[in-house]
Amino acid sequence: MTGPENFPMAIQIYLLRHGETAWSLTGQHTGRTDLPLTKNGELRASRLRARLQGITFGHVLTSPLQRARRTCELAGLGAAAQSDPDLREWDYGDYEGRTTAEIRTQHPGWDVFVDGCPHGESVGQISQRADRALTALRRLGGTIALFSHGQFLRVLAMRWVGLPVPEGRHFALETASISILGYEHAPEPAIILWNAGDQLPAG
């Protein structure tokens, strides 16, 4: 990946995972399936508005899937949003709609961050997509709001700090949460905030 010295340094990326869906509630892997938010998902997504109030975003990007777009709208940023296909969720291929427990009955020990998905995206492919997205984000600079999905955001965060994709399995990320990528001491990238849910104080 191109080094940070070649990009604007004034950058913070707010990672916003979409609100709850029926499948996130049951633990079913949701990649391409375009599910709406549940009523609770809409409620929690709407609480993001207050948590983001007062922050001026130079750019707002969202996955094209409706669960991310709707979360963006409820957070009050829909009018400024641009859709980016690189922000879509991991393609789970044959494992779409299945839970980890179900998959492990056939493939014991399976972990998406290590094994990828048959007829979906491999670990290498998701890593390349995240790197491509980060290159584009660094070129934008400023403060960026990014509405996307649980597994992809974990991959993105790992690649931001130069860690391999498998390390993402150690970073839980709940629905309608906020995380922030930035720099602690430029030019060293850092995870500034992780998995702040709406039950936590905004300040």
Side-chain angles (χ1 to χ4, degrees):
M1 191 181 345
T2 307
E5 67 275 5
N6 295 320
F7 296 95
M9 292 301 297
I11 183 171
Q12 275 198 330
I13 305 171
Y14 280 66
L15 307 181
L16 299 122
R17 187 185 174 192
H18 64 76
E20 176 191 277
T21 68
W23 282 12
S24 69
L25 190 60
T26 57
Q28 293 169 261
H29 291 290
T30 320
R32 301 181 305 273
T33 305
D34 201 8
L35 296 179
L37 300 182
T38 63
K39 288 184 179 180
N40 182 57
E42 294 221 346
L43 175 62
R44 292 191 58 204
S46 68
R47 292 175 182 164
L48 290 169
R49 184 185 294 257
R51 294 177 63 78
L52 299 175
Q53 189 173 6
I55 302 170
T56 300
F57 292 104
H59 306 275
V60 179
L61 302 173
T62 180
S63 160
L65 296 172
Q66 65 172 309
R67 56 193 184 271
R69 289 188 289 105
R70 181 59 176 156
T71 300
C72 180
E73 292 169 1
L74 291 167
L77 297 173
Q82 293 184 315
S83 179
D84 184 344
D86 273 345
L87 304 184
R88 68 193 187 279
E89 180 59 296
W90 200 315
D91 185 343
Y92 295 116
D94 293 348
Y95 294 157
E96 182 78 5
R98 302 178 66 186
T99 67
T100 296
E102 289 171 342
I103 296 166
R104 286 178 176 172
T105 61
Q106 294 179 315
H107 301 278
W110 174 82
D111 187 320
V112 66
F113 291 97
V114 176
D115 304 305
C117 301
H119 300 112
E121 284 183 292
S122 68
V123 171
Q125 288 171 326
I126 196 77
S127 182
Q128 289 173 4
R129 177 152 66 90
D131 286 349
R132 183 171 67 237
L134 287 173
T135 295
L137 290 166
R138 285 193 175 100
R139 291 191 187 282
L140 292 177
T143 303
I144 301 165
L146 193 159
F147 292 81
S148 186
H149 309 271
Q151 308 291 46
F152 180 71
L153 289 177
R154 291 159 78 178
V155 172
L156 197 73
M158 295 306 97
R159 299 306 302 141
W160 174 259
V161 294
L163 293 176
V165 170
E167 296 304 316
R169 68 190 186 274
H170 302 300
F171 288 75
L173 195 62
E174 67 177 73
T175 54
S177 61
I178 300 175
S179 303
I180 304 174
L181 307 181
Y183 297 94
E184 183 178 15
H185 301 293
E188 294 300 323
I191 298 173
I192 306 301
L193 178 73
W194 189 256
N195 197 31
D198 60 13
Q199 76 279 13
L200 299 177

